[in-house]
């Protein structure tokens, strides 16, 4: 597996993966990504800001994620809990894995790559939020050492459960 910045040429495959994720969430009754989000424009903006990344297997894009360092205004306030840290952090948004590669370790590989980036940059924490009902993602986060921290609110007012993992930079 490889992990790299996404390019415009990856957009059709990324959007196919997004559609798969939207269908999976809908089938599980999760009201997340059901309003056309993330749109091609959102993904292109991620690309323009060098946030959009993809995991590939044999050159084929099999997953995508948006990685942002030290910039997530919706994390400024957390309710019914608190963050584990207040320093530098990375956040992952818009992560999805091709249906044919679910349960194959791709998501764990992406998180390992992000943690390595954090160690390299001296980033202290890894933060993520997800829909309360997205139980597979919540189990994945807990299995990978993330701690539930509380509730954050997106810019549109929707609540999300927030998790954090401290990164060992030693």
């Amino acid at each position: 597996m490889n992990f790299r910045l996404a390019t415009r040429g990856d957009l059709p495959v990324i959007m196919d993966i997004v559609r798969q994720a939207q269908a999976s969430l809908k089938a599980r009754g999760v009201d997340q990504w059901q309003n056309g989000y993330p749109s091609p424009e959102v993904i292109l903006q991620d690309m323009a800001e060098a946030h959009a990344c993809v995991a590939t297997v044999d050159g084929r894009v099999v997953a995508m994620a948006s990685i942002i360092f030290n910039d997530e205004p919706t994390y400024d306030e957390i309710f019914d809990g608190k963050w584990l840290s207040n320093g530098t952090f990375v956040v992952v948004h818009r992560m999805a894995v091709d249906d044919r590669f679910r349960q194959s370790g791709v998501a764990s590989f992406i998180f390992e790559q992000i943690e390595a980036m954090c160690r390299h940059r001296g980033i202290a924490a890894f933060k993520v939020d997800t829909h309360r009902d997205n139980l597979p993602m919540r189990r994945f986060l807990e299995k990978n050492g993330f701690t539930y921290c509380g509730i954050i609110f997106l810019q549109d007012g929707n609540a999300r459960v927030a998790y954090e993992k401290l990164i060992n930079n030693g």
Side-chain angles (χ1 to χ4, degrees):
M1 265 186 271
N2 289 306
F3 190 65
R4 62 170 173 78
L5 285 173
T7 66
R8 287 184 70 89
D10 297 323
L11 187 62
V13 176
I14 289 171
M15 293 313 300
D16 183 53
I17 292 169
V18 165
R19 284 187 287 280
Q20 291 173 30
Q22 290 166 332
S24 176
L25 289 164
K26 184 176 184 176
R28 288 186 274 125
V30 179
D31 183 26
Q32 182 179 11
W33 289 18
Q34 298 305 299
N35 61 355
Y37 176 88
S39 67
E41 293 77 18
V42 168
I43 302 300
L44 287 168
Q45 184 64 36
D46 284 346
M47 288 177 186
E49 295 172 359
H51 297 312
C53 294
V54 293
T56 64
V57 173
D58 297 327
R60 175 182 169 189
V61 173
V62 299
M64 50 84 66
S66 179
I67 303 167
I68 303 165
F69 288 93
N70 299 312
D71 185 26
E72 181 46 67
T74 63
Y75 286 11
D76 290 348
E77 287 189 80
I78 189 165
F79 301 88
D80 299 327
K82 67 178 190 169
W83 293 114
L84 302 176
S85 68
N86 294 314
T88 58
F89 66 94
V90 67
V91 62
V92 171
H93 288 308
R94 298 176 281 286
M95 183 168 146
V97 177
D98 186 306
D99 286 346
R100 294 163 286 202
F101 287 85
R102 292 227 175 116
Q103 305 295 321
S104 70
V106 172
S108 293
F109 170 76
I110 289 172
F111 274 43
E112 289 165 7
Q113 297 303 304
I114 295 167
E115 286 184 35
M117 292 165 76
C118 288
R119 281 191 214 66
H120 179 74
R121 295 178 183 212
I123 302 294
F126 189 162
K127 298 180 180 184
V128 181
D129 67 85
T130 192
H131 193 284
R132 177 184 314 275
D133 297 333
N134 192 343
L135 300 181
M137 183 62 172
R138 293 182 73 176
R139 282 192 294 271
F140 170 79
L141 291 169
E142 290 165 6
K143 177 183 151 202
N144 283 278
F146 285 76
T147 301
Y148 171 81
C149 293
I151 306 293
I152 60 102
F153 288 90
L154 303 177
Q155 290 176 341
D156 65 8
N158 285 312
R160 294 291 184 260
V161 290
Y163 288 82
E164 181 175 9
K165 180 179 182 178
L166 299 178
I167 305 297
N168 178 359
N169 285 304

